[in-house]
């Protein structure tokens, strides 16, 4: 896979800088050897050769010692060395290198080429002002040495060292720019990594919260409602046994068993995800019918009379599984509230397919309630109760639907849901 341009630039900058360092060091030693060879080949005599060899050996050894120390220090540097203006050690080292070179220049002008490498060293280790002053002095030493050897001052003697000095300054500016660009790119990449990590952590937390809300809705609309019914019916069965109505108690126990069986089936579907049957046009219709029948059985087991009727208008069509689950859970939640809280005697569930919309209306003739007050109090409860209306609204809103609840004291309750029908195919079902 191809690396991003920023990453490639960051990787390239240290490579360029490392090559520049190696080139500088190799160039210095090469020019030193060239100067020694040129001096020896001119046969000046032992009075010049031996001192030149000794001073050259000292210069090469001192330079190698300094480059090894500089390499170790470079690994710990964040900014270009020129920005820190060097340490006291490097300044003494540079002064020693320069001093030994001047000694060599006294013996032979063939060491003039070393000035080019010294230009870079001064720019690298000193402040700009001090480096410029040093370069001017070094250039003067070269010109003086050439003048002394030739016996007369010529234009190339001035222009050559001057152009070399200017070129060294320009190259150093480029070097520092590359170095700073590498540092900036590294900092940018580190910031990008931190941002990505923070974004991933935030997305993970958001995903966890979303999944927690989804699980809370599923548990409330299935297991919690079913277990609540089981508790109420089992209490009614216990009261029947105490009253000696064994047949009634037996019927209520069978209802408890059926409710427990239904909750077990819901729990298994909850664990393994949506069942394969969902997506079938008859799945929702059949499930709503069974829900109405179950509510009537539970009402009878509790000793109350609640007639639940299911009606369908239009031709059922295939829908995405989340739509079917949302409508089924809405009906289960509304009917459970009607059974446990409203005291209703009649409930009607109407499923309507009209054009590009599916509607579900649940009506009961119970005592009704204050919708706004119920929603407000639900947000303040911390015991897990009052979650149904808020969870239902969030579930329908997530699908782009509309939830309307109409209720007045003594006037019953109507829960209306409208969902837009989207194009649905087998691939959608798989998703």
């Amino acid at each position: 896979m191809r690396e991003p341009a920023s990453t490639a630039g960051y990787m390239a900058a240290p490579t360029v800088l490392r090559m520049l360092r190696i080139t500088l060091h190799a160039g210095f030693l090469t020019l030193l050897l060239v100067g020694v060879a040129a001096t020896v080949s001119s046969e000046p005599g032992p009075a010049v050769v031996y001192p030149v060899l000794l001073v050259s050996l000292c210069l090469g050894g001192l330079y190698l010692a300094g480059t090894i120390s500089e390499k170790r220090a470079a690994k710990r540097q964040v900014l270009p060395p020129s920005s820190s203006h060097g340490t006291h050690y490097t300044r003494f080292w540079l002064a020693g290198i320069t001093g030994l070179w001047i000694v060599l220049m006294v013996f032979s002008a063939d060491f003039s080429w070393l000035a080019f490498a010294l230009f870079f060293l001064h720019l690298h280790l000193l402040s700009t002002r001090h480096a410029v002053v040093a370069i001017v002095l070094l250039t003067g030493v070269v010109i003086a040495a050439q003048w002394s050897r030739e016996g007369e001052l010529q234009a190339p003697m001035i222009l050559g060292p001057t152009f070399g000095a200017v070129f060294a300054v320009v190259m150093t500016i480029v070097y520092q720019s590359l170095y700073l660009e590498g540092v900036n790119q590294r900092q940018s990449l580190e910031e990008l990594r931190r941002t990505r990590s923070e974004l991933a952590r935030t997305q993970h937390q958001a995903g966890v919260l979303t999944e927690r809300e989804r699980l809370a809705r599923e548990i409330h609309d299935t297991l919690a409602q079913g277990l609540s019914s089981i508790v109420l019916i089992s209490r009614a069965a216990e009261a029947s046994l105490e009253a000696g109505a064994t047949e009634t108690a037996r019927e209520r126990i069978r209802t408890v068993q059926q409710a427990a069986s239904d909750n077990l089936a819901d729990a298994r579907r909850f664990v393994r995800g949506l069942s394969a049957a969902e997506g079938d046009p008859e799945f929702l219709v059949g499930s709503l019918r069974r829900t109405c029948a179950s509510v009537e059985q539970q009402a009878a087991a509790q000793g109350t009379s609640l007639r639940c009727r299911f009606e369908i208008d239009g031709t059922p069509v295939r829908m995405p599984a989340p739509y079917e689950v949302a409508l089924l859970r809405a009906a289960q939640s509304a009917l459970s509230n009607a059974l446990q809280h409203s005291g209703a005697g009649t409930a009607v569930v109407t499923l309507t397919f009209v054009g590009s919309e599916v509607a579900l209306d649940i009506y009961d003739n119970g005592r009704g309630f204050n919708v706004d007050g119920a929603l407000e109090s639900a947000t303040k409860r911390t015991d897990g109760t009052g979650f149904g209306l808020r969870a239902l609204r969030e579930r329908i809103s997530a699908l782009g639907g509309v939830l309307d609840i109409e209720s007045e004291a003594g006037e019953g309750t109507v829960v209306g849901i409208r969902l837009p029908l989207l194009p649905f195919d087998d691939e959608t079902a798989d998703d």
Side-chain angles (χ1 to χ4, degrees):
M1 183 175 61
R2 185 177 180 182
E3 292 183 348
S6 58
T7 304
Y10 167 61
M11 296 298 293
T15 302
V16 173
L17 299 178
R18 185 165 56 251
M19 291 301 299
L20 288 174
R21 290 171 184 260
I22 294 174
T23 302
L24 175 62
H25 301 329
F28 184 92
L29 296 176
T30 300
L31 292 174
L32 177 61
L33 292 176
V34 170
V36 171
T39 302
V40 172
S41 64
S42 65
E43 300 180 356
V48 173
V49 172
Y50 291 142
V52 166
L53 291 177
L54 179 61
V55 175
S56 298
L57 183 62
C58 293
L59 177 58
L62 181 61
Y63 187 86
L64 286 175
T67 55
I68 293 173
S69 176
E70 186 266 348
K71 181 179 179 181
R72 294 175 179 174
K75 294 180 179 179
R76 301 189 296 269
Q77 287 174 348
V78 177
L79 296 176
S82 59
S83 66
S84 62
H85 302 165
T87 63
H88 291 292
Y89 168 79
T90 58
R91 292 176 182 176
F92 283 120
W93 174 80
L94 182 60
I97 292 293
T98 305
L100 290 175
W101 172 75
I102 293 175
V103 172
L104 289 175
M105 290 292 291
V106 172
F107 286 101
S108 174
D110 291 325
F111 293 97
S112 297
W113 294 106
L114 273 176
F116 189 68
L118 290 174
F119 292 161
F120 286 103
L121 288 176
H122 283 77
L123 289 167
H124 186 66
L125 298 176
L126 300 179
S127 65
T128 303
R129 182 179 60 182
H130 292 159
V132 170
V133 173
I135 289 173
V136 171
L137 295 176
L138 293 177
T139 303
V141 171
V142 173
I143 295 173
Q146 296 290 336
W147 186 4
S148 175
R149 184 174 67 176
E150 298 297 333
E152 60 178 342
L153 185 62
Q154 300 176 0
M157 297 179 186
I158 300 175
L159 296 178
T162 301
F163 286 156
V166 173
F167 181 77
V169 172
V170 173
M171 287 298 297
T172 301
I173 293 175
V174 173
Y175 169 86
Q176 293 178 358
S177 299
L178 285 173
Y179 196 100
L180 290 175
E181 182 180 358
V183 171
N184 292 334
Q185 288 182 351
R186 181 178 63 185
Q187 293 174 347
S188 298
L189 284 174
E190 291 176 352
E191 181 66 25
L192 178 60
R193 292 190 187 99
R194 287 195 296 268
T195 302
R196 286 179 175 176
S197 299
E198 182 64 22
L199 179 60
R201 186 182 65 83
T202 302
Q203 290 178 339
H204 175 71
Q205 291 179 345
V208 169
L209 293 176
T210 301
E211 183 65 11
R212 184 179 298 171
E213 288 291 331
R214 187 188 71 83
L215 293 177
R217 289 195 300 265
E218 293 292 338
I219 292 174
H220 176 272
D221 294 341
T222 56
L223 304 181
Q225 298 284 10
L227 292 174
S228 177
S229 298
I230 290 174
V231 170
L232 293 176
I233 298 172
S234 61
R235 289 175 180 173
E238 182 181 10
S240 298
L241 287 175
E242 292 176 353
T246 57
E247 187 62 30
T248 301
R250 187 179 294 110
E251 181 64 27
R252 291 176 176 174
I253 291 175
R254 282 197 291 268
T255 303
V256 169
Q257 292 173 343
Q258 182 61 43
S261 178
D262 292 341
N263 271 262
L264 179 60
D266 284 336
R268 287 172 175 169
R269 284 195 295 269
F270 185 71
V271 170
R272 69 173 182 265
L274 300 177
S275 66
E278 295 172 359
D280 184 348
E282 295 300 323
F283 169 79
L284 179 60
V285 175
S287 297
L288 291 175
R289 284 199 177 99
R290 288 191 296 272
T291 299
C292 285
S294 176
V295 168
E296 287 188 346
Q297 293 176 0
Q298 294 177 29
Q302 295 178 27
T304 60
S305 176
L306 174 59
R307 176 173 175 76
C308 184
R309 185 172 73 254
F310 173 69
E311 298 178 352
I312 184 170
D313 185 9
T315 303
V317 297
R318 299 185 66 188
M319 292 182 293
Y323 280 46
E324 297 178 341
V325 172
L327 294 175
L328 177 59
R329 299 293 182 253
Q332 291 173 339
S333 179
L335 291 176
S336 177
N337 288 332
L339 173 64
Q340 299 180 25
H341 306 298
S342 72
T346 301
V348 180
V349 178
T350 305
L351 180 64
T352 306
F353 294 89
V354 179
S356 60
E357 185 179 74
V358 59
L360 180 68
D361 298 291
I362 305 101
Y363 162 77
D364 70 76
N365 63 348
R367 63 176 62 94
F369 65 97
N370 186 319
V371 177
D372 294 335
L375 289 173
E376 182 179 356
S377 63
T379 59
K380 298 179 180 179
R381 298 180 186 177
T382 59
D383 58 355
T385 62
F387 183 76
L389 291 178
R390 181 165 58 89
L392 180 58
R393 188 181 297 278
E394 292 174 355
R395 185 193 292 271
I396 299 302
S397 177
L399 297 176
V402 177
L403 171 66
D404 292 320
I405 303 176
E406 299 179 3
S407 183
E408 295 289 343
E411 299 294 334
T413 302
V414 177
V415 177
I417 299 172
R418 304 292 182 272
L419 287 176
L421 287 176
L422 300 177
F424 180 70
D425 51 28
D426 292 336
E427 293 184 359
T428 307
D430 294 337
D431 292 340

